[in-house]
Amino acid sequence: MFKRNRKPAPPLPQAAQIEHERLNSLINSMADAVIAVDESKKVVVYNAAALNVLDLNTIKPNTDVAKIIKPVTSDNHPVDIASLIETTTTPYTSRDLRLQYTDNSSISLYMSIAPVRLGYGTKGQGGHVLLLRDITREKSLEDERDEFISVISHELRTPIAIAEGNISNAQLIADRTEGIDPAIKQALGEAYNQVLFLAGMINDLSTLGRAEQGSLKLEIEAIDVKALVAELVSNYTPEAQKKGLEMKSEIIGEIGELHSSKLYVREVLQNFITNAIKYTSQGSVTLEASYSSQGIHFAVRDTGIGISKGDQDRVFDKFFRSEDYRTRQANGTGLGLYVTSKITRLLHAEITLESELNKGSTFSIFVPNLENHVPKPA
Ligand code: ADP
């Protein structure tokens, strides 16, 4: 099923007619619902899958798109589709909408909206193409997985904290005991490092769980930026020195207080610094903070293995780890930067990455001053 609900078009030349039919059958063979609307948000083209997703028998000519697509947000707020389309100038996608049917059943909806020029030739009328897909099954699997991760990370916290404390005590006792076999100290050191890695991973999983459930809370406070930089440099200097790296800091401009979440700003910088140390075998790691009237620009610069152009787009993806053998030599889960990108959104901040393979990487985050920030109602 394929319709153009506009006034009858003049007959097309034969080649154009063939092309037109080809497009018709292509659009109708798509599993995703396709709906094209013109500048006044009236449906001009749709396919069979659109009728399925919207649970309609047909779509009458010149129907307003808002009459047939009435999505709601995950917390049941109606979405004004006409103004959403109106404001879409670059492609937009969402996986967090729902569509309710007249019998009160509902589906989880994937929706993408892209601006297009409809019609033929350069004078074709503008409009938008909407792609819709029922993702109820995927969503429910994702919800189950998130719930599982959240329960597991919660349950593992206590035993790991106890193991960490006990191994640390055993190390102290071993240090104080004379004539102890050095292999025991080495084994305890290795066990301690692995427990720390597990604790970090559990922490990432737990932040991730809360981020995906939208329950991360932003508590704004005045952050003494210089003190935060000094604290991080002092915390990570021993780890850097163990690898023969220099840990440096640079403060640029008159930096005073930054109003943001200290907890999350610190977590992002910690992620950048641990990565910088992990993926650098010689040279230095520098934490930089520079002042701007809108906020603070932090950067973590390393002289490490760098990230290829192809990987740079993917490092913030969930579970992504580079295939580079030097990455695989270090422990990692591929969650740190994903969690970081979630936190960044919460902070209204912006991340940039500059990197060159074998030369080093700079992960930067601009954290805006949220002194007069009014949180949106949940
Ligand atoms: P991981 O636990 O693997 O470190 P992250 O999400 O923190 O997970 O990072 C994802 C991937 O990005 C890493 O596996 C690595 O390939 C790459 N990466 C991150 N930071 C750096 C860096 N400073 N230098 C080189 N590669 C990096």
Side-chain angles (χ1 to χ4, degrees), residues 213-263:
Q213 286 158 13
S215 58
L216 289 182
K217 292 256 172 329
L218 192 62
E219 276 171 31
I220 311 240
E221 59 186 298
I223 307 172
D224 179 342
V225 178
K226 276 190 199 157
L228 178 66
V229 168
E231 174 200 318
L232 287 166
V233 168
S234 124
N235 287 354
Y236 284 94
T237 297
E239 203 178 316
Q241 279 174 346
K242 247 192 240 167
K243 288 190 72 179
L245 305 173
E246 193 186 349
M247 178 87 219
K248 302 190 278 188
S249 69
E250 259 174 58
I251 303 277
I252 302 166
E254 274 304 305
I255 293 190
E257 285 180 339
L258 167 70
H259 289 83
S260 186
S261 158
K262 189 170 178 182
L263 181 74

Side-chain angles (χ1 to χ4, degrees), residues 95 108 110 133-145:
R95 288 172 47 82
S108 297
Y110 163 89
R133 191 183 311 145
D134 178 354
I135 52 165
T136 310
R137 202 179 130 66
E138 284 143 88
K139 271 280 183 189
S140 102
L141 287 175
E142 278 170 25
D143 288 350
E144 276 174 35
R145 188 202 55 199

Side-chain angles (χ1 to χ4, degrees), residues 184-314:
I184 293 181
K185 284 192 184 178
Q186 202 190 333
L188 284 173
E190 186 54 30
Y192 190 69
N193 284 343
Q194 294 302 322
V195 163
L196 280 191
F197 167 66
L198 270 180
M201 187 169 94
I202 297 302
N203 195 35
D204 277 353
L205 283 174
S206 145
T207 315
L208 173 79
R210 282 180 292 133
E212 309 229 88
Q213 286 158 13
S215 58
L216 289 182
K217 292 256 172 329
L218 192 62
E219 276 171 31
I220 311 240
E221 59 186 298
I223 307 172
D224 179 342
V225 178
K226 276 190 199 157
L228 178 66
V229 168
E231 174 200 318
L232 287 166
V233 168
S234 124
N235 287 354
Y236 284 94
T237 297
E239 203 178 316
Q241 279 174 346
K242 247 192 240 167
K243 288 190 72 179
L245 305 173
E246 193 186 349
M247 178 87 219
K248 302 190 278 188
S249 69
E250 259 174 58
I251 303 277
I252 302 166
E254 274 304 305
I255 293 190
E257 285 180 339
L258 167 70
H259 289 83
S260 186
S261 158
K262 189 170 178 182
L263 181 74
Y264 292 137
V265 172
R266 190 198 273 125
E267 188 159 338
V268 168
L269 295 176
Q270 279 172 340
N271 272 343
F272 288 166
I273 298 172
T274 20
N275 279 346
I277 297 176
K278 211 158 55 165
Y279 302 117
T280 303
S281 56
Q282 54 184 335
S284 59
V285 171
T286 310
L287 170 59
E288 185 186 289
S290 52
Y291 170 84
S292 107
S293 56
Q294 312 285 312
I296 301 288
H297 187 101
F298 292 97
V300 175
R301 208 181 303 284
D302 68 52
T303 54
I305 61 174
I307 305 169
S308 70
K309 290 270 176 281
D311 283 353
Q312 283 178 30
D313 290 337
R314 303 164 64 202

Side-chain angles (χ1 to χ4, degrees), residues 197 204 271-272 274-280 300 302 304-307 311 314-317 319-324 327-328 330-340 353 355 360-363:
F197 167 66
D204 277 353
N271 272 343
F272 288 166
T274 20
N275 279 346
I277 297 176
K278 211 158 55 165
Y279 302 117
T280 303
V300 175
D302 68 52
I305 61 174
I307 305 169
D311 283 353
R314 303 164 64 202
V315 289
F316 294 97
D317 290 353
F319 298 119
F320 175 80
R321 303 202 72 209
S322 165
E323 294 294 336
D324 191 313
T327 304
R328 299 304 168 117
N331 272 336
T333 56
L335 277 176
L337 289 180
Y338 178 72
V339 169
T340 298
L353 163 62
S355 185
S361 312
T362 303
F363 281 86

Side-chain angles (χ1 to χ4, degrees), residues 348-367:
H348 303 271
E350 218 171 283
I351 293 187
T352 41
L353 163 62
E354 281 169 54
S355 185
E356 202 177 325
L357 211 50
N358 302 323
K359 293 238 166 96
S361 312
T362 303
F363 281 86
S364 313
I365 181 167
F366 175 73
V367 184

